[in-house]
Amino acid sequence: IEKVIQLGGTVSAEHGIGKIKVPFLEMMYGPKVINEMRALKLALDPTNILGRGNIFKDSCHSREGGNPVPHVF
């Protein structure tokens, strides 16, 4: 998968990325985009009831005060 990304390919397919390929998202998009994804998820789902744990582990969704945890995945 790393070689695919290096050659300009993607980890996703027509049905999404699959849970096995989640660790490669940061390699493909970088931490800035992943943190933007997390912020969007938090804004649209502040109680973390949708797709819980599919991309962001439950413990990474938010912490006390509602601020996103800075660590990716």
Side-chain angles (χ1 to χ4, degrees):
I1 293 178
E2 290 178 33
K3 189 67 168 176
V4 170
I5 294 169
Q6 290 171 0
L7 294 171
T10 179
V11 298
S12 65
E14 62 276 357
H15 297 287
I17 63 154
K19 292 179 183 181
I20 293 173
K21 297 177 184 171
V22 167
F24 296 99
L25 284 177
E26 185 177 8
M27 182 185 302
M28 187 171 159
Y29 295 113
K32 180 179 183 242
V33 172
I34 297 300
N35 285 326
E36 289 171 356
M37 292 167 114
R38 177 183 284 109
L40 181 61
K41 166 81 165 108
L42 185 61
L44 296 175
D45 182 22
T47 58
N48 195 28
I49 62 171
L50 303 173
R52 182 176 288 144
N54 284 339
I55 300 293
F56 305 110
K57 294 179 184 172
D58 291 340
S59 62
C60 292
H61 185 72
S62 65
R63 62 179 164 199
E64 206 171 303
N67 297 319
V69 175
H71 301 290
V72 175
F73 303 107

